[in-house]
Amino acid sequence: MTPAIKALEKARVEFEVTSYEHDPRAPAYGEEAAHTLGLSTDEVFKTLMARLDADTLVVAIVPVSRQLDLKALARAAGARKAAMATTDEAERATGYVVGGISPLGQKKRLATFIDDSCQSLDTVHVSGGRRGLELSLSPRDLIEQTRATVTSIAR
């Protein structure tokens, strides 16, 4: 049981857990999850870590089918610029390993931004806290549990 699952259970949120055999040769974790589970890359969301103005870490959640727009993220956060966090920064802040970073149950609560495309979906799929583990839940529950700001941050 991962911290993400524990957090959802504690909050009494309705969710489903799906696991699959992770292929260490897979070039992109989110795409692997979508393909392996037969899901659209528009409904599987990846959790990314970014650094604002060189010092503040934030969480960005965007569909696997799209890329994080760092300029849009900076604007949404009221920062001058945003850059991707390093692997070490992401793992240290979240308590998860890259490829298995869940937006839920992170070690430190960070400001979180989710792409507004999630609002058109009934269900979103995010990492469950390890490679090969996906959580399915309503976008509303994901937004509430992460205290996310919903905005356009993907291109």
Side-chain angles (χ1 to χ4, degrees):
M1 181 152 352
T2 66
I5 293 171
K6 288 179 185 175
L8 290 176
E9 286 179 342
K10 183 178 180 183
R12 294 194 167 114
V13 169
E14 207 172 298
F15 69 99
E16 290 183 21
V17 178
T18 309
S19 61
Y20 61 92
E21 189 65 37
H22 165 63
D23 180 355
R25 296 168 296 160
Y29 301 108
E31 288 177 4
E32 176 194 22
H35 176 74
T36 304
L37 299 175
L39 300 168
S40 164
T41 55
D42 292 330
E43 61 186 327
V44 176
F45 281 64
K46 53 190 170 185
T47 305
L48 304 170
M49 304 298 296
R51 197 176 336 94
L52 303 176
D53 295 336
D55 64 351
T56 304
L57 288 177
V58 295
V59 178
I61 308 168
V62 298
V64 167
S65 61
R66 300 176 69 195
Q67 292 183 335
L68 173 62
D69 183 335
L70 290 167
K71 288 182 182 182
L73 176 62
R75 271 192 309 277
R80 286 177 284 129
K81 66 179 187 173
M84 294 304 295
T86 66
T87 298
D88 286 345
E89 288 173 319
E91 291 180 348
R92 202 171 27 255
T94 64
Y96 295 117
V97 296
V98 169
I101 294 179
S102 178
L104 302 152
Q106 294 184 357
K107 195 163 66 172
K108 295 180 184 176
R109 181 167 296 269
L110 301 171
T112 300
F113 299 85
I114 187 167
D115 188 65
D116 59 4
S117 64
C118 73
Q119 294 177 308
S120 66
L121 302 170
D122 293 328
T123 303
V124 293
H125 309 272
V126 296
S127 175
R130 66 175 164 78
R131 296 171 186 157
L133 187 69
E134 287 293 304
L135 301 177
S136 306
L137 67 162
S138 76
R140 180 183 44 78
D141 286 335
L142 179 61
I143 292 163
E144 286 177 8
Q145 294 305 307
T146 59
R147 298 182 190 152
T149 298
V150 180
T151 188
S152 179
I153 57 169
R155 55 181 160 89

